[in-house]
């Protein structure tokens, strides 16, 4: 017995020693050390591509909202007037018995709408109705704030969506072939469920993939698309109409707006110049098949369970998700996505306290003041540029918590319940049509600077270029980002850095091209702009080529977010030092690293390296810390430590 006890003790000591050897050091890998326990104990859900501090906050929001909404569905909780249409839509989404019984029947009118297009001339004649009905198209008009004059709305001309989401996936033969195989098989299966024979489905998918690949050749890559200013290409509509000889775009605009606008903003000039090559008599069958596949793939998620699961096959494979979400979760997601503004206002009013709102508002205002102080003491800006930057900062619109009311689009249409013959698909299309019609009605109107870009129930924050605003929805204002129970140091390291991050976007490589009103404008002196571009390039080089799961980081793609992270962390640190509470820098830096904790499938991480403008979470946490002098002194990090970066290599912009 004594020998056995000695053996057990020896094994325990060996295990402890092994764990000690494996445990990362704060000095070598701060992110891994801070999050070691969470990373070792947290599992990625089988129906999700990742788990993170953000997804955990989303789960908390979903838990309380789902309980409320399910009580409303059963009659155990009164339905507020603002939620009546949402609850009726949720009821339809959750009724899988009816969805399964209907099969693909709800798709038939929309499939027929496409199949009736028997010629290019018929397609052109139908374009106004196709646009209003939010049908999938290879090009379309929409209305948005004019980048050149943020006080008004402008007409934009844009390409449709690619099957594989971004051009980058088409640029490597092996990647393209593999993804087209997965997408094509899913599409065939859905078309068969919708009533096509195997032979018909194969033919439709083959034509659709060919057209999609042709369109991708004229699209921008994700890195190219991350340059917002590059999307602003205004020109006379008559000039675009002349360039696109195969279609009468002036007549189309007249049908949509009553009279043709003089100017249109072309989002992707290369795509616009290729419209006649893409869509003509010869390619018409391919385009028609492309429209059909796009429609069936997007709407099948609102059919019965088998079709719903199949419709997510490509996305699950691309992100490495093992299992589809449950029917109940999918119903909740579908309803809350469509009614996100309405749901957000309910969440904000019900679960976000006024005390917290006032406290965060004060923190934001303080951060703006810190930023202004830093600009005033900036050593590389001229007085002229500094004055313009401070003017932009002073004009910044701050949004905390939730908006007072939802978009007018929700009063334009009402959910038709099953008792009145309504189906989930019909209601989705009705709301999509209302959204398009509302969008078109905005042309020629003054830009609305009161609209929130995010739902209050969204765990995120945002800087909006074209109205120079920062938004912090109620849902992100919870632990670990923010809590009245956390120390000021912990709050500043998380939500404080997020607040300053969003402010920093006003002065990142994109935001720096827009003035205090949100209009595209060069307010820099040539010398200052040259300095800023050099500093931004240093940030590109700091991240470019860093290894991560699935590949390496694209420094050009992620530069705007990296510049904002750097500014956010340094400004939040300065704000903490000015706070009444004694600064705890260990808690501040630890909170920063904890906020970015994340576990994701390898496939998802690989995908995000291609499509995400943010750097991988671990690198966001570690690399930015290496740019802060106080981080090294706080933890005694010296040359030879994994987290060490020489002072001359540390990148500091704001």
């Amino acid at each position: 017995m004594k020998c056995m006890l000695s053996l057990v003790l020896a094994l325990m000591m060996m295990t402890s020693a092994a764990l000690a050897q494996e445990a990362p050091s704060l000095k070598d890998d701060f992110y891994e050390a801070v999050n070691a326990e969470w990373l070792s104990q947290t599992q990625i859900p089988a129906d999700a591509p990742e788990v993170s501090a953000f997804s955990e906050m989303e789960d908390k929001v979903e838990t309380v909202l789902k309980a409320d909404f399910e009580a409303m569905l059963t009659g155990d909780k009164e339905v507020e007037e603002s939620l009546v249409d949402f609850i009726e839509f949720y009821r339809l989404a959750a009724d899988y018995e009816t969805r399964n019984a209907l099969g693909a029947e709800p798709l038939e009118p929309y499939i027929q709408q496409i199949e009736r297009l028997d010629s290019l001339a018929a397609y052109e004649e139908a374009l106004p109705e196709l646009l209003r009905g939010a049908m999938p198209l290879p090009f379309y008009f929409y209305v948005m704030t004019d980048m050149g004059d943020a006080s008004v709305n402008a007409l934009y001309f844009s390409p449709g969506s690619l099957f594989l989401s971004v051009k980058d996936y088409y640029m490597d033969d092996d990647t393209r072939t593999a993804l087209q195989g997965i997408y094509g098989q899913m599409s065939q299966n859905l078309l068969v469920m919708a009533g096509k024979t195997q032979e018909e489905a194969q033919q439709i998918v083959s034509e659709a993939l060919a057209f999609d690949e042709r369109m991708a050749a004229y699209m921008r890559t994700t890195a190219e698309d991350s340059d917002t200013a590059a999307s602003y290409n205004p020109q006379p509509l008559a000039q675009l109409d002349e360039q696109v000889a195969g279609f009468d775009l002036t007549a189309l605009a007249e049908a949509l707006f009553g009279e043709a606008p003089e100017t249109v903003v072309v989002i992707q000039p290369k795509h616009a110049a290729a419209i006649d090559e893409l869509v003509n008599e010869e390619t018409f069958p391919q385009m028609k098949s492309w429209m059909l596949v796009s429609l069936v793939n997007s709407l099948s998620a609102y059919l019965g369970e088998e079709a719903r699961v199949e419709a997510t096959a490509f996305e699950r494979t691309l992100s490495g998700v093992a299992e589809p979400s449950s029917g109940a979760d999918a119903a909740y997601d579908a309803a809350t996505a469509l009614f996100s503004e309405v749901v957000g206002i309910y969440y904000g009013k019900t679960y976000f306290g006024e005390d917290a709102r006032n406290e965060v508002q004060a923190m934001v205002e303080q951060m703006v003041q810190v930023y202004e102080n830093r600009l005033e003491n900036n050593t590389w800006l001229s007085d002229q540029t500094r004055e313009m930057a401070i003017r932009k900062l002073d004009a910044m619109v701050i949004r905390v918590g939730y908006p007072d009311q939802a978009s007018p689009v929700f009063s334009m249409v009402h959910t038709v319940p099953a008792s009145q013959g309504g189906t989930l698909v019909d209601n989705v299309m009705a709301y999509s049509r209302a959204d398009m019609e509302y969008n078109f009605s905005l042309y020629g109107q003054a830009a609305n600077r009161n609209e929130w870009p995010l739902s209050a129930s969204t765990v995120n924050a945002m800087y909006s270029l074209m109205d120079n605003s920062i938004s912090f929805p109620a849902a992100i204002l919870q632990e670990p980002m923010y809590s009245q129970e956390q120390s000021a140091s912990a709050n500043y390291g998380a939500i404080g850095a997020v607040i300053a991050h969003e402010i920093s976007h006003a002065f990142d490589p994109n935001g720096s091209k827009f003035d205090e009103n949100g209009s595209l404008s060069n307010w820099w002196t040539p010398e200052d702009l040259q300095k800023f571009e050099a500093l931004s390039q240093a940030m590109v080089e700091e991240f470019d080529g860093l290894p991560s799961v699935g590949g390496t980081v694209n420094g050009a793609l992620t530069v705007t977010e990296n510049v904002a992270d750097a500014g956010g962390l340094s400004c939040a640190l300065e704000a903490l030092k000015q706070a009444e509470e004694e600064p705890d820098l260990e808690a501040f830096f630890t909170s920063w690293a904890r906020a970015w904790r994340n576990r994701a499938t390898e496939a998802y991480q690989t995908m995000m390296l291609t499509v995400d403008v943010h750097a991988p979470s671990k690198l966001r946490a570690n690399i930015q810390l290496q740019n802060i002098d106080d981080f090294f002194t706080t933890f005694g990090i010296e040359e030879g430590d994994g987290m060490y970066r020489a002072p001359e290599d540390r990148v500091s912009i704001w």
Side-chain angles (χ1 to χ4, degrees), residues 365-556:
E365 291 172 357
Q366 180 203 12
M367 207 67 69
V368 170
Q369 186 58 55
V370 167
Y371 228 101
E372 185 167 332
N373 293 339
R374 290 174 72 88
L375 287 171
E376 288 174 346
N377 295 308
N378 183 283
T379 58
W380 58 271
L381 285 177
S382 67
D383 290 342
Q384 180 181 337
T385 304
R386 182 183 295 110
E387 180 182 344
M388 294 299 293
I390 292 174
R391 180 187 300 181
K392 183 172 185 179
L393 195 61
D394 289 342
M396 190 173 286
V397 178
I398 299 171
R399 301 187 179 104
V400 174
Y402 54 91
D404 294 326
Q405 58 187 16
S407 166
V409 72
F410 292 102
S411 64
M412 294 172 58
V413 64
H414 301 285
T415 302
V416 179
S419 60
Q420 298 177 20
T423 68
L424 192 59
V425 169
D426 282 343
N427 277 287
V428 167
M429 294 303 284
Y431 277 101
S432 297
R433 170 180 284 273
D435 194 51
M436 291 301 296
E437 291 180 344
Y438 174 66
N439 178 262
F440 292 152
S441 75
L442 298 177
Y443 177 73
Q445 305 295 314
N448 185 353
R449 299 176 69 86
N450 296 319
E451 288 190 352
W452 279 53
L454 294 171
S455 162
S457 56
T458 301
V459 180
N460 208 336
M462 183 176 177
Y463 172 75
S464 179
L465 290 167
M466 286 178 284
D467 66 359
N468 189 30
S469 69
I470 46 178
S471 301
F472 305 99
I476 198 174
L477 303 174
Q478 57 174 308
E479 196 175 354
M481 282 294 174
Y482 165 79
S483 171
Q484 291 178 303
E485 306 303 317
Q486 290 182 162
S487 68
S489 297
N491 278 337
Y492 275 101
I495 195 62
V498 169
I499 291 168
H501 168 105
E502 301 307 335
I503 297 171
S504 297
H505 272 310
F507 309 105
D508 73 17
N510 274 331
S512 62
K513 297 173 183 175
F514 292 76
D515 65 17
E516 73 273 15
N517 298 313
S519 299
L520 195 59
S521 172
N522 182 11
W523 45 270
W524 297 70
T525 66
E527 296 78 15
D528 288 344
L529 184 59
Q530 186 175 14
K531 293 174 187 175
F532 175 67
E533 289 175 343
L535 289 169
S536 297
Q537 182 59 33
M539 187 66 75
V540 169
E541 293 169 1
E542 185 172 44
F543 278 84
D544 196 50
L546 289 178
S548 186
V549 175
T552 58
V553 177
N554 182 335

Side-chain angles (χ1 to χ4, degrees), residues 371 374-375 377-381 504 507 524 528 531-543 559 562-574 623-630 632 645-654:
Y371 228 101
R374 290 174 72 88
L375 287 171
N377 295 308
N378 183 283
T379 58
W380 58 271
L381 285 177
S504 297
F507 309 105
W524 297 70
D528 288 344
K531 293 174 187 175
F532 175 67
E533 289 175 343
L535 289 169
S536 297
Q537 182 59 33
M539 187 66 75
V540 169
E541 293 169 1
E542 185 172 44
F543 278 84
V559 63
N562 292 332
V563 168
D565 274 345
L569 186 60
S570 60
C571 288
L573 179 58
E574 184 166 330
I623 301 301
Q624 296 299 351
L625 290 175
Q626 294 175 316
N627 291 324
I628 304 291
D629 294 342
D630 280 335
F632 297 89
R645 182 182 298 276
E648 63 271 18
D649 295 330
R650 299 170 195 172
V651 181
S652 176
I653 302 178
W654 303 115

Side-chain angles (χ1 to χ4, degrees), residues 20 130 167 233 239 297 318 380 405 486 501 524:
L130 293 170
K167 177 175 180 174
N233 304 284
Q239 179 181 329
N297 286 2
L318 196 60
W380 58 271
Q405 58 187 16
Q486 290 182 162
H501 168 105
W524 297 70

Side-chain angles (χ1 to χ4, degrees), residues 303-372:
L303 299 177
E305 179 67 0
E306 184 181 4
R308 178 193 73 80
V309 171
E310 184 63 34
T312 62
F314 177 74
E315 182 182 351
R316 292 200 313 273
T317 303
L318 196 60
S319 55
V321 175
E323 299 175 3
S325 59
S326 69
D329 285 345
Y332 171 85
D333 290 343
T336 54
L338 188 63
F339 288 85
S340 60
E341 288 184 63
V342 175
V343 169
I345 292 172
Y346 172 80
Y347 175 80
K349 289 182 175 179
T350 307
Y351 294 104
F352 188 62
E354 196 63 28
D355 288 345
R357 187 177 193 172
N358 292 336
E359 185 172 319
V360 175
Q361 179 79 24
M363 187 183 291
V364 176
E365 291 172 357
Q366 180 203 12
M367 207 67 69
V368 170
Q369 186 58 55
V370 167
Y371 228 101
E372 185 167 332

Side-chain angles (χ1 to χ4, degrees), residues 80-111:
E80 296 181 8
E81 184 177 352
S82 64
L83 292 176
V84 169
D85 285 311
F86 161 72
I87 289 298
E88 287 303 323
F89 185 91
Y90 191 9
R91 193 184 308 279
L92 286 167
D95 184 4
Y96 280 94
E97 183 177 349
T98 299
R99 289 173 63 172
N100 290 335
L102 287 171
E105 181 183 333
L107 286 186
E108 290 178 7
Y110 308 101
I111 290 176

